[in-house]
Amino acid sequence: MPEAVDPHHLLLIGAGPGVGASVVRRFGREGFHSTLISRRSETFDNLASELRSGGLEIEAISADIEDLDGYRETLERIFSAPGAPGVVVYNAALPDPGQILDTTVERLRTAHDVDVLGAVIAAQVAAPVLRTADAGTLLVTSGGFADNPVPALASLSMGKAALRSAQTLVAAGVRDDGIHAATVTIAGAVKPGTDFDPDNIAELFWTAHTDSKDTWQTEYRFTGA
């Protein structure tokens, strides 16, 4: 890859102590350094410190995806610098509870920004840079709500279905440029020590990233260890 893109630089958007942290650790075992994006909070700070204490090279950046313009500007700064991420994992979601008939339009719009548009913007910013390298990976985290909507989580159910569609369109737009875009669908409740342990799920993200082009999929499904 040209100097503009670092193939061992992971950008994780929506950093948390579950799947996100496990993905960072899994890629870190392969020599990756990571940039984490999340809202600034004590949990985010503690996660970054924990990952660093494990020997990983971590940069933590605060950005609020609900502020789409500010979020885009943050991504543009990251991708305009030398050594831009060669791998992007969009792991953000807004699990706002509420029935579809009782949820306000404003809440639905905010959830859509985080659940869907944040991923689209990440692809829009990253793709032109990755095209210069003729390589790269764009992954998004989806879930079983995309298959089976849950009435009590209407906005998230809608978001996961829309995210899958959006990422399928992204994949079609970048495949010929050597960029692999795909959805990783977790068809179950993530919980350490179970078949849906986040470390097991992280292995599927690594598989998606390392797949050869002739076996690329637009969706990878995790249905239990």
Side-chain angles (χ1 to χ4, degrees):
M1 287 188 182
E3 184 178 320
V5 175
D6 181 352
H8 291 98
H9 183 181
L10 166 69
L11 174 62
L12 175 70
I13 303 168
V19 171
S22 290
V23 168
V24 170
R25 292 189 186 97
R26 179 63 184 89
F27 279 71
R29 294 208 305 269
E30 308 296 333
F32 277 71
H33 62 99
S34 298
T35 297
L36 313 183
I37 292 181
S38 188
R39 285 183 175 180
R40 180 61 65 190
S41 68
E42 183 178 351
T43 299
F44 181 42
D45 292 338
N46 290 343
L47 174 62
S49 296
E50 179 187 337
L51 292 169
R52 291 187 187 110
S53 69
L56 300 178
E57 183 180 345
I58 302 294
E59 180 179 7
I61 298 175
S62 178
D64 186 353
I65 301 173
E66 293 181 28
D67 174 12
L68 292 179
D69 291 337
Y71 164 70
R72 182 187 285 272
E73 290 172 2
T74 297
L75 292 178
E76 288 174 344
R77 287 195 298 272
I78 292 170
F79 279 93
S80 64
V87 180
V88 179
V89 173
Y90 189 85
N91 188 55
L94 185 62
D96 184 24
Q99 302 274 344
I100 188 68
L101 298 180
D102 301 324
T103 302
T104 66
V105 170
E106 289 75 16
R107 286 172 62 187
L108 290 172
R109 183 180 293 119
T110 297
H112 185 75
D113 287 349
V114 176
D115 296 339
V116 184
L117 295 186
V120 173
I121 290 171
Q124 289 177 339
V125 174
V129 179
L130 297 179
R131 283 188 178 115
T132 68
D134 298 316
T137 303
L138 302 171
L139 301 176
V140 300
T141 305
S142 188
F145 294 142
D147 303 312
N148 301 295
V150 175
L153 289 168
S155 64
L156 185 61
S157 297
M158 293 167 60
K160 290 305 184 185
L163 178 63
R164 174 191 286 163
S165 294
Q167 190 70 350
T168 300
L169 295 171
V170 169
V174 299
R175 182 183 177 91
D176 290 344
D177 300 306
I179 303 167
H180 185 197
T183 300
V184 178
T185 298
I186 305 167
V190 178
K191 185 177 180 180
T194 71
D195 286 347
F196 286 86
D197 188 283
D199 288 347
N200 296 334
I201 296 167
E203 289 293 338
L204 186 57
F205 280 85
W206 181 250
T207 295
H209 169 60
T210 56
D211 256 0
S212 60
K213 188 173 182 178
D214 59 350
T215 59
W216 279 358
Q217 303 173 43
T218 57
E219 183 177 31
Y220 294 76
R221 297 185 63 85
F222 188 89
T223 56

